[in-house]
Amino acid sequence: MTKTILWILGNRLVVLILALLVFVFGLIFSPFELGGDFPKDPIAVDAIPDIGENQQIVFTEWKGRSPRDIDDQITYPLSAVLLGIPGVKTIRSSSMFGFSSIYVIFEENTEFYWSRSRILEKLNALPPGTLPNDVTPALGPDATALGQVFWYTLEGRDEKGNPAAGWDIHELRNIQDWTVKTALQSAKGVAEVATIGGNRKEYQIEIFPDKLEAFDISVLDIARAVKGANVDIGARTMEINQVEYVVRGVGLLKSISDIRKIVIAYRNDKPIRIIDVANVVSGPAERRGALDVSGADAVGGIVVARFGANPVEVIDAVKEKIAGLSLSLPTKITEAGDAKVTIVPVYDRSLLIKETVQTLSDALWQQILITILVVLFLLGHLRSSIVISASLPLSVMISFIAMKAFAVDA
């Protein structure tokens, strides 16, 4: 130790250069806003610490089945198989009507994405007969419970940004599912964009029971006919006059009238179509939840950040996508004026994170200033107070460098 101190005292220039390098690299890795063109590669920082367990979720859907059937044929067999994965600490599960959720808890030292790959290997190598034939388990998104960093709603707004009527939740849900969700999922660091609220569009076949009985047709016959009609069939190629033609059968349904014309069966050499035994309409799918904003039904989405991603960078990337997407969102002309679909933020964690970081920055500089004043008052020597106070920012910068090197989130 004595030799080290003597070397430091004898090589002040080298020590000063090392201290400057530590300070510069610490600023590069620090979460503070420096402004300008200063290079930045900040550590991941969040205002809410993620103290949850190292877990992965396996979700399996089996529509129309009771919780007992789900538990006996899905939850228990899958849990028994997943228990054999290395590093598994425990497994928790829940069997609900129509689906099963299995929470695989790993040891804390197990790498997050390594555990996901091991689960996928097990699911892909399930022995035949482990699960029902029409059941496929799925692994949840690569995120934690605290990954919900940004919430938004879709609303109709006029040119001044005020709420405007003209868009119903059914139309907004279609825009969310087919335009907004797809665009935001491509943002850097986004694991999933979950849709909440609104009604999904579907084609509904309203069957008349008395007509089914009269034509001796069952509901399963209608289901098979609709499923079989909504498909393209590939054929073969034919060469005619040295020209090759591709032959195929086009059968995809495009409108309600196409569904009405589907043939279910033949009675007395006459086709029985959907329109003869049922009415086909377009309507909202049945739902079990809703999104309420200020007492009104709304449509929105939840942006989930990927595990290990910097929440601030993810939110900034999402906002950049929203800014570009807003130009292409549709506008409806109403009697009260134009009503343009607008993405309205509801919850933005980056505001809380930046306020927290600013509080840390203010506290750090205040502590340095107070330390200089106290040391200067006690010692009456300016250089000594500056040297002592310099250890405060250097220690913080060393911490940032170590956190970046070992991938530790702040």
Side-chain angles (χ1 to χ4, degrees):
M1 181 63 69
T2 305
K3 293 182 179 180
T4 303
I5 296 176
L6 292 175
W7 183 88
I8 291 174
L9 293 176
N11 298 273
R12 297 181 181 180
L13 180 60
V14 176
V15 174
L16 179 60
I17 294 175
L18 292 176
L20 289 176
L21 289 176
V22 169
F23 190 78
V24 170
F25 278 99
L27 288 178
I28 293 175
F29 299 143
S30 71
F32 303 134
E33 293 289 341
L34 302 178
D37 297 330
F38 192 83
K40 290 284 294 180
D41 187 16
I43 60 175
V45 59
D46 201 344
I48 305 175
D50 189 358
I51 57 175
E53 296 176 305
N54 185 5
Q55 71 174 14
Q56 303 291 344
I57 302 176
V58 178
F59 180 83
T60 310
E61 189 175 15
W62 200 18
K63 294 182 179 180
R65 304 292 177 166
S66 66
R68 175 59 63 86
D69 293 337
I70 295 290
D71 189 69
D72 292 342
Q73 301 187 47
I74 295 179
T75 304
Y76 178 75
L78 272 183
S79 299
V81 171
L82 296 176
L83 276 172
I85 298 177
V88 172
K89 181 179 178 181
T90 184
I91 287 182
R92 306 188 185 103
S93 61
S94 61
S95 301
M96 306 294 288
F97 182 80
F99 68 90
S100 165
S101 297
I102 300 177
Y103 302 87
V104 185
I105 314 299
F106 286 86
E107 300 289 346
E108 289 299 326
N109 59 351
T110 304
E111 205 275 327
F112 185 84
Y113 287 100
W114 183 89
S115 63
R116 292 178 62 85
S117 62
R118 297 290 82 77
I119 292 178
L120 289 176
E121 287 179 0
K122 278 291 184 180
L123 295 180
N124 292 330
L126 289 176
T130 304
L131 299 177
N133 295 329
D134 55 343
V135 171
T136 303
L139 187 60
D142 53 340
T144 63
L146 293 177
Q148 301 180 17
V149 296
F150 189 80
W151 287 46
Y152 64 89
T153 59
L154 296 183
E155 302 176 8
R157 295 292 180 98
D158 58 17
E159 297 179 354
K160 298 181 180 180
N162 299 320
W167 293 94
D168 57 35
I169 58 175
H170 169 69
E171 295 172 315
L172 294 176
R173 175 63 184 254
N174 286 339
I175 297 173
Q176 160 64 17
D177 287 340
W178 300 104
T179 303
V180 178
K181 179 178 179 179
T182 306
L184 297 186
Q185 279 183 332
S186 63
K188 181 180 179 181
V190 174
E192 183 185 26
V193 178
T195 301
I196 181 172
N199 294 316
R200 288 185 302 165
K201 179 182 178 181
E202 67 178 13
Y203 296 108
Q204 301 170 348
I205 301 177
E206 301 174 349
I207 300 173
F208 304 132
D210 53 341
K211 293 186 178 181
L212 289 184
E213 184 178 0
F215 290 109
D216 190 22
I217 294 175
S218 66
V219 177
L220 292 178
D221 293 333
I222 296 178
R224 282 193 291 265
V226 174
K227 184 178 180 180
N230 189 32
V231 62
D232 283 350
I233 301 175
R236 52 174 292 180
T237 59
M238 298 182 62
E239 184 178 340
I240 303 175
N241 295 330
Q242 296 183 350
V243 178
E244 190 175 59
Y245 295 90
V246 179
V247 182
R248 68 188 184 100
V250 180
L252 292 179
L253 302 174
K254 296 182 179 180
S255 63
I256 293 180
S257 61
D258 292 341
I259 301 177
R260 293 171 178 168
K261 296 176 183 178
I262 295 175
V263 177
I264 307 171
Y266 288 88
R267 296 292 183 267
N268 299 325
D269 297 330
K270 292 183 179 180
I272 307 300
R273 301 172 298 173
I274 295 290
I275 194 174
D276 297 326
V277 296
N279 183 33
V280 183
V281 297
S282 174
E286 184 179 353
R287 60 178 183 171
R288 301 180 64 183
L291 175 62
D292 183 281
V293 177
S294 300
D297 202 356
V299 177
I302 304 172
V303 178
V304 182
R306 185 170 286 113
F307 175 80
N310 191 335
V312 177
E313 293 182 352
V314 174
I315 297 173
D316 290 340
V318 169
K319 290 181 178 178
E320 184 178 351
K321 288 286 184 180
I322 290 176
L325 184 63
S326 299
L327 302 175
S328 61
L329 292 178
T331 302
K332 181 178 290 187
I333 301 176
T334 63
E335 296 179 356
D338 295 345
K340 181 179 178 59
V341 176
T342 307
I343 301 176
V344 181
V346 176
Y347 168 69
D348 185 353
R349 191 185 293 178
S350 65
L351 301 177
L352 179 60
I353 295 174
K354 291 179 181 179
E355 289 179 358
T356 305
V357 172
Q358 185 61 41
T359 301
L360 171 63
S361 177
D362 295 341
L364 180 61
W365 294 114
Q366 290 171 6
Q367 289 177 8
I368 293 174
L369 180 60
I370 293 174
T371 303
I372 293 176
L373 294 177
V374 171
V375 175
L376 181 62
F377 176 76
L378 294 177
L379 299 181
H381 195 269
L382 180 60
R383 289 179 58 188
S384 300
S385 62
I386 294 176
V387 171
I388 295 173
S389 303
S391 62
L392 286 175
L394 283 177
S395 62
V396 175
M397 298 307 167
I398 293 173
S399 300
F400 289 152
I401 295 173
M403 293 172 70
K404 187 67 176 182
F406 294 101
V408 178
D409 297 342

